[in-house]
Amino acid sequence: MKILFCASEVAPFAKTGGLADVCGTLPLALEKRGIEIILTLPRYQCVDVKKFQLKRIDDDFWVTKIGKGISVYFIEHEKYFGRKGIYGSTKGGYPDNLERFSYYCRKSLELIKKINFKAEVVHCHDWQTALIAVYLKFIYGGDAFYKKVKSVLTIHNLAYQGLFTPQEFLKLGLPQELYSINGFEFYNKLNLLKGGIIFSDYVTTVSRTYAVEIQTDTLGCGLAGVLRARKNPLAGILNGIDDTMWNPTTDPWLQKRYSSDSLEHKYQNKERVQKDFKLPTRSDAPLFGFVGRLSAQKGLDLLWQAVDEIASLDLQMVILGTGEEKYHRLLKRMARRCPKKIAVGLEYNEPLAHRIYAGCDIFLMPSVYEPCGLSQMISLKYGTIPLVFKTGGLAETVIAFNSSNAKGNGFVFDRYDKNTFLKTVKKAVAAYKNKTLFRKLIERAFTYDFSWDESARGYQELYQRCVQSV
Ligand code: ADP
């Protein structure tokens, strides 16, 4: 089977969040299952030609290889992609994002004809690639080369929809009638994701729970009805993590590597993180960690509401992230308020992120919603116990710890309010103080398997269904 896989970020080339991790590792797992797959993404400024050994094909395309033999094609366009950011800056998205990503979509389709790659399915991810399904149906479908190509759209986060002014619709080169309530029109705005949801053959998202949640008005971001109206029901396939990249026994960025049999080495990482963040080096208090995009989704407002009570507990906390300016300010204030207990790093720093996953005792993820979430799976892999809100993929991967039978793998709160959150934080601190119990929890964490095999099987079955459908 031949698959064209299109994503606006793919690790290790360009990354702002979990989408890149998924799109950098799922293709490798699919290749292992015998699927022939190629990738496309824009050649952003951050994609280092030398480091990644990119070879120039012509003015428009570069190529390199990952896995055993997966070609990754980069679309070159200095005006659109030769700038510092991927989507924008801390002040918001770039004003020409519609031109940038519609160009990328068309070029991805043109590429497969140029190199004669007879894709059976094109697998798109999020709003930046949602137009591909529409172009296939209304522009390229007339060409015999593209006629039988099916499309799958995976929604990694429904809150990001690619909204533009109605006037910009003209720039897409699509029939005017598609700008209607049954197409791209969305409360008097142009909505690229909505177009993709309507015109893709299959739509999936990244956990079964989130698939259900986004068909309700609470988490449907205005598109619940559109999702419910689809002929093929929305599928939820849980993401995995790359266990070569996320592995405490081989991780090159750790102070000291470890496994469940050498937990004493995990604590050397704790000391290193405390030093990195200029916190007192203590082993008797739990170290909480947070790594993530600084946006409302990630629950920083709840943390802020509870910060004084949290600071009165016997714990330490390190926070690493970048994102909205508002949260940069908020976190700086938190650190100033509790200098001995809370420390923040406002940057994107992969080695430090790895050390936080390894060095902390508890990983904090109070997300308001979370389509899948990778950080909780990564932290478990490093024997660091997640504390999460029961939502989306978090609800599927983190099971509340029960001290009476020592079952479960984390701390879970199921009401999104300050008191319930605080109660759970206190529970985690108390559990940490019971050394035997906490050690059991850590040992259990290591037994969870979040590798890609199962999810890749799910996508393979979906591609097959797709190809067989008329
Ligand atoms: P999302 O996709 O919503 O951003 P996920 O939990 O799915 O959240 O994935 C986040 C990924 O991005 C993880 O691999 C996490 O370690 C990484 N990450 C987020 N912020 C940073 C940062 N400031 N520095 C390093 N890695 C980060």
Side-chain angles (χ1 to χ4, degrees):
M1 186 179 299
K2 284 187 159 69
I3 308 292
L4 165 65
F5 197 95
C6 300
S8 57
E9 48 182 288
V10 175
F13 308 108
K15 169 167 168 176
T16 69
L19 174 65
D21 290 322
V22 172
C23 295
T25 46
L26 171 58
L28 304 176
L30 291 168
E31 184 187 45
K32 279 196 194 133
R33 302 188 69 82
I35 291 177
E36 198 181 333
I37 183 162
I38 65 167
L39 270 66
T40 67
L41 80 152
R43 219 281 292 172
Y44 306 107
Q45 200 177 71
C46 64
V47 179
D48 191 323
V49 169
K50 266 212 185 113
K51 180 174 162 201
F52 296 118
Q53 301 180 354
L54 266 54
K55 290 197 184 67
R56 190 122 210 177
I57 299 179
D58 56 23
D59 285 351
D60 293 334
F61 302 106
W62 301 81
V63 68
T64 193
K65 293 259 189 224
I66 57 169
K68 287 230 161 61
I70 301 175
S71 296
V72 184
Y73 292 91
F74 294 85
I75 288 152
E76 177 70 34
H77 196 292
E78 176 59 28
K79 187 174 138 223
Y80 289 154
F81 306 124
R83 51 182 92 164
K84 200 159 171 254
I86 293 183
Y87 307 120
S89 66
T90 49
K91 294 189 174 55
Y94 292 129
D96 59 349
N97 271 345
L98 176 126
E99 283 105 312
R100 297 173 76 226
F101 289 106
S102 58
Y103 178 81
Y104 159 65
C105 290
R106 296 188 72 139
K107 278 287 171 193
S108 296
L109 288 173
E110 283 166 23
L111 170 82
I112 54 170
K113 186 165 180 190
K114 184 184 167 78
I115 61 170
N116 195 27
F117 182 80
K118 294 205 169 69
E120 288 153 277
V121 178
V122 44
H123 189 170
C124 306
H125 301 267
D126 283 348
W127 71 262
Q128 293 86 352
T129 55
L131 279 169
I132 291 183
V134 192
Y135 282 142
L136 263 178
K137 279 216 160 60
F138 294 95
I139 309 271
Y140 294 83
D143 178 336
F145 185 85
Y146 298 96
K147 217 172 174 57
K148 287 200 178 136
V149 185
K150 293 284 177 18
S151 56
V152 174
L153 171 66
T154 296
I155 300 170
H156 294 260
N157 191 334
L158 188 67
Y160 299 91
Q161 301 181 355
L163 296 179
F164 299 93
T165 63
Q167 292 72 25
E168 293 210 71
F169 185 74
L170 269 182
K171 296 180 185 164
L172 299 179
L174 286 166
Q176 187 58 44
E177 60 269 24
L178 294 186
Y179 188 78
S180 72
I181 186 137
N182 297 317
F184 286 91
E185 196 272 336
F186 180 75
Y187 300 100
N188 217 11
K189 289 233 167 75
L190 161 60
N191 184 326
L192 296 188
L193 188 68
K194 184 180 172 213
I197 291 173
I198 293 174
F199 296 111
S200 297
D201 294 306
Y202 279 84
V203 178
T204 76
T205 187
V206 288
S207 66
R208 285 192 314 277
T209 313
Y210 192 59
V212 173
E213 287 170 347
I214 57 178
Q215 295 183 68
T216 67
D217 292 340
T218 324
L219 285 179
C221 305
L223 291 173
V226 179
L227 287 165
R228 285 196 302 265
R230 283 190 47 85
K231 187 176 99 203
N232 296 316
L234 181 67
I237 302 177
L238 196 71
N239 290 330
I241 52 170
D242 177 357
D243 43 18
T244 56
M245 183 194 290
W246 301 110
N247 189 337
T249 62
T250 54
D251 193 327
W253 283 319
L254 300 195
Q255 177 70 22
K256 185 87 186 169
R257 294 178 199 148
Y258 62 94
S259 68
S260 58
D261 298 327
S262 54
L263 277 182
E264 61 287 4
H265 296 158
K266 177 170 166 56
Y267 302 118
Q268 294 189 25
N269 293 292
K270 179 169 178 175
E271 243 180 70
R272 170 73 189 271
V273 173
Q274 288 165 327
K275 282 188 183 140
D276 283 347
F277 280 90
K278 300 191 174 50
L279 287 172
T281 45
R282 297 181 55 187
S283 61
D284 57 331
L287 179 62
F288 284 66
F290 172 100
V291 178
R293 279 183 301 111
L294 303 182
S295 75
Q297 177 199 341
K298 299 296 176 182
L300 298 158
D301 295 292
L302 188 65
L303 190 60
W304 175 245
Q305 279 174 37
V307 74
D308 289 331
E309 285 95 332
I310 285 180
S312 72
L313 301 173
D314 188 25
L315 55 71
Q316 295 176 321
M317 188 177 290
V318 294
I319 298 172
L320 173 69
T322 53
E324 292 170 34
E325 237 161 51
K326 167 184 167 188
Y327 294 110
H328 284 223
R329 283 199 300 273
L330 201 82
L331 289 176
K332 276 187 203 151
R333 278 173 70 187
M334 263 191 222
R336 271 202 304 271
R337 213 141 138 173
C338 330
K340 291 221 169 70
K341 290 200 167 163
I342 301 181
V344 301
L346 300 174
E347 56 171 336
Y348 189 88
N349 184 332
E350 285 199 41
L352 188 53
H354 282 241
R355 286 197 288 275
I356 292 176
Y357 287 117
C360 289
D361 302 295
I362 292 151
F363 192 86
L364 200 55
M365 238 174 140
S367 307
V368 183
Y369 71 92
E370 194 61 74
C372 174
L374 299 177
S375 297
Q376 81 283 12
M377 301 193 228
I378 299 171
S379 69
L380 282 164
K381 184 92 195 162
Y382 283 73
T384 299
I385 312 305
L387 188 160
V388 307
F389 178 52
K390 191 174 180 185
T391 182
L394 298 176
E396 273 170 47
T397 50
V398 184
I399 314 299
F401 174 61
N402 180 338
S403 57
S404 57
N405 58 10
K407 288 252 160 69
N409 60 2
F411 304 98
V412 181
F413 61 108
D414 57 6
R415 278 172 49 143
Y416 207 81
D417 60 47
K418 180 176 129 180
N419 286 338
T420 318
F421 174 52
L422 264 173
K423 233 167 86 185
T424 315
V425 172
K426 285 179 189 162
K427 208 169 166 181
V429 174
Y432 178 79
K433 303 265 168 178
N434 182 338
K435 293 286 167 221
T436 335
L437 194 80
F438 204 73
R439 196 179 168 102
K440 253 192 208 139
L441 245 177
I442 298 177
E443 280 162 5
R444 283 177 59 76
F446 283 111
T447 63
Y448 284 80
D449 174 19
F450 294 114
S451 61
W452 270 104
D453 305 346
E454 192 54 28
S455 322
R457 198 164 57 82
Y459 281 109
Q460 186 173 25
E461 279 168 15
L462 179 83
Y463 297 155
Q464 270 152 1
R465 231 177 304 143
C466 210
V467 171
Q468 282 152 11
S469 67
V470 272

